[in-house]
Amino acid sequence: MQEQINKLVADCKKQVAEANDLKKISELKAKFLGKSSPVNDLMKGLKDVAPADKPAFGKVINECRVAISELITSKEVEFKNLERSRKLQSETIDISLPSTKIEIGALHPITKVKNEIIKAFMGLGFNVAEGYEIEADYHCFQALNIPKDHPARDMQDTFYFSENTVLRPHTSPAQIRTMEVQKPPIKILCPGRVYRADDDATHSPIFHQIEGLVVDKNITLCDLKGILDEFARIMFSSESITRFRPSHFPFTEPSVEVDVTCMVCGGKGCRICKGTGWIEILGSGVVNRNVLSNCGIDPDVYSGFAFGMGIERIAMIKYGIPDIRMLYENDVRFLKQFR
Ligand code: DAH
């Protein structure tokens, strides 16, 4: 039997050596170790062997099975390794190659600053109300206490469509539209595009404003000061404060021009603030009684304050932008800095 076994192992060894792929190996596995393999036949024959010889026979057959199994398995492992390294080779990625660059977009600085202003005031309880860009002369001027042909109209270099229709030169008509339909308490913010016949390093024919309006019982200039101080701290720096200078607007009485501590020098005086330590950021005041009356709000019961600021101006101050036109040229090198 030993001879038969030796031949079997030698046979297997020869065929395994000749095998050239995994498929062939699995065929050999079935042939030499499967149910109808010679090794299995030998195992089955064990039952006819004399009991005394059984352990020795069993041992020999088992050794044969182990030998054959080792032969096949080692070849199988060899093929599998080969296949894996072939696969790895074909899937190699050259990580030193520069990747395709995907440019990430960003919000325009005007949008960014607008959102920042809105966020600051929303935190102080304001809601956003939008108006119209093509507006009635009445809402832009008359309701705001600026009669027809009054010299106060010169403050806004307005584009007229017709006698009664204009491209709004400020966001103030949005406060009129709100007061016409909403009764106090009112606490709104009106952002939007505005138009003026004006064009130089600090003025553009199209720009953006944000109007604020608060109307309720007992609203005073102190409330305005408190709100704007808080806004300056949120928007510019925790050290910022505001200063009120007397001014005039037909729609507010008293009216003030509001300055904020220069964020470049911290108030000491520098080139940016022209040595004053202050930078003008907006116009505001206590809502004129006539304006409240025009909107059906009793000025003996209610009072309010309003303010209006240019978004571009705030962006220019905040980021030290020297020319308003840089905000509209859309030079990617400029825009990238606001990512
Ligand atoms: N409407 C003014 C302008 O365009 C800005 C302004 C000043 C708005 C005072 C206000 C205000 O609401 O109270 O120049």
Side-chain angles (χ1 to χ4, degrees), residues 156 169-170 172 175 196 209 211-212 249 251-252 283-285 306-308:
Q156 286 95 12
H170 53 181
S172 303
Q175 55 167 286
R196 286 188 200 182
Q209 282 190 338
E211 186 89 5
F249 298 105
F251 28 90
T252 45
S284 63
F307 57 85

Side-chain angles (χ1 to χ4, degrees), residues 57-72:
F57 269 75
K59 189 166 170 265
V60 172
I61 296 168
N62 205 39
E63 278 168 3
C64 164
R65 207 175 48 83
V66 170
I68 287 177
S69 166
E70 272 172 6
L71 278 173
I72 292 175

Side-chain angles (χ1 to χ4, degrees), residues 30 54 76 104 196-197 205 238 324 330:
K54 261 188 191 163
E76 189 177 41
I104 299 169
R196 286 188 200 182
S238 55
I324 196 170
N330 289 333

Side-chain angles (χ1 to χ4, degrees), residues 144 155-156 169-172 175 196 207 209-213 249 251-252 255-257 282-287 305-309:
L144 284 159
M155 272 196 200
Q156 286 95 12
H170 53 181
T171 41
S172 303
Q175 55 167 286
R196 286 188 200 182
F207 63 107
Q209 282 190 338
I210 287 199
E211 186 89 5
L213 173 73
F249 298 105
F251 28 90
T252 45
S255 303
V256 290
E257 211 93 61
L282 55 88
S284 63
V286 171
V287 180
F305 67 72
F307 57 85
M309 69 183 104

Side-chain angles (χ1 to χ4, degrees), residues 19-301:
N20 44 18
D21 57 18
L22 266 174
K23 189 168 161 270
K24 185 74 197 165
I25 289 294
S26 75
E27 276 170 29
L28 292 177
K29 208 179 201 173
K31 182 173 171 187
F32 284 97
L33 297 168
K35 270 208 182 97
S36 46
S37 62
V39 178
N40 225 27
D41 290 345
L42 286 169
M43 285 288 220
K44 277 186 212 149
L46 257 186
K47 66 180 190 303
D48 306 324
V49 174
D53 296 333
K54 261 188 191 163
F57 269 75
K59 189 166 170 265
V60 172
I61 296 168
N62 205 39
E63 278 168 3
C64 164
R65 207 175 48 83
V66 170
I68 287 177
S69 166
E70 272 172 6
L71 278 173
I72 292 175
T73 312
S74 75
K75 194 72 177 178
E76 189 177 41
V77 169
E78 195 184 312
F79 276 134
K80 278 192 176 155
N81 285 345
L82 212 72
E83 192 173 285
R84 185 176 321 123
S85 60
R86 218 180 287 132
K87 201 166 166 216
L88 281 177
Q89 204 111 43
S90 71
E91 289 174 1
T92 305
I93 297 167
D94 183 353
I95 55 165
S96 66
L97 270 179
S99 63
T100 336
K101 206 162 175 202
I102 301 168
E103 290 282 355
I104 299 169
L107 290 178
H108 190 278
I110 294 176
T111 309
K112 212 175 136 179
V113 170
K114 178 185 88 174
N115 290 347
E116 261 180 76
I117 298 171
I118 291 175
K119 195 171 160 212
F121 280 105
M122 280 188 126
L124 298 169
F126 285 72
N127 283 320
V128 173
E130 309 232 17
Y132 304 115
E133 288 179 32
I134 296 175
E135 256 297 4
D137 180 279
Y138 174 80
H139 289 92
C140 276
F141 299 115
Q142 296 166 57
L144 284 159
N145 203 32
I146 313 172
K148 278 218 179 250
D149 303 319
H150 194 280
R153 291 204 175 199
D154 286 352
M155 272 196 200
Q156 286 95 12
D157 305 290
T158 310
F159 290 112
Y160 283 80
F161 280 108
S162 64
E163 204 191 320
N164 290 316
T165 313
V166 303
L167 269 175
R168 68 173 174 193
H170 53 181
T171 41
S172 303
Q175 55 167 286
I176 300 297
R177 294 221 174 250
T178 302
M179 286 191 284
E180 280 175 346
V181 295
Q182 192 186 323
K183 293 306 149 209
I186 293 170
K187 207 168 176 187
I188 51 151
L189 208 59
C190 316
R193 213 172 290 149
V194 297
Y195 304 81
R196 286 188 200 182
D198 215 352
D199 199 3
D200 59 38
T202 50
H203 297 90
S204 155
I206 302 176
F207 63 107
H208 302 76
Q209 282 190 338
I210 287 199
E211 186 89 5
L213 173 73
V214 173
V215 183
D216 204 349
K217 285 179 178 153
N218 306 314
I219 295 292
T220 69
L221 208 61
C222 286
D223 298 301
L224 172 65
K225 175 88 171 132
I227 288 274
L228 293 181
D229 270 344
E230 192 54 32
F231 167 68
R233 276 192 288 273
I234 299 171
M235 200 63 195
F236 302 110
S237 116
S238 55
E239 309 289 307
S240 294
I241 53 165
T242 61
R243 167 178 92 162
F244 283 10
R245 270 181 297 111
S247 184
H248 171 76
F249 298 105
F251 28 90
T252 45
E253 183 58 41
S255 303
V256 290
E257 211 93 61
V258 179
D259 300 337
V260 68
T261 326
C262 174
M263 51 292 304
V264 175
C265 62
K268 286 190 205 80
C270 67
R271 201 173 50 86
I272 303 296
C273 59
K274 298 189 185 89
T276 64
W278 298 96
I279 291 186
E280 185 193 322
I281 56 163
L282 55 88
S284 63
V286 171
V287 180
N288 190 301
R289 289 173 61 89
N290 292 344
V291 174
L292 292 178
S293 297
N294 289 342
C295 301
I297 293 174
D298 186 348
D300 289 328
V301 179

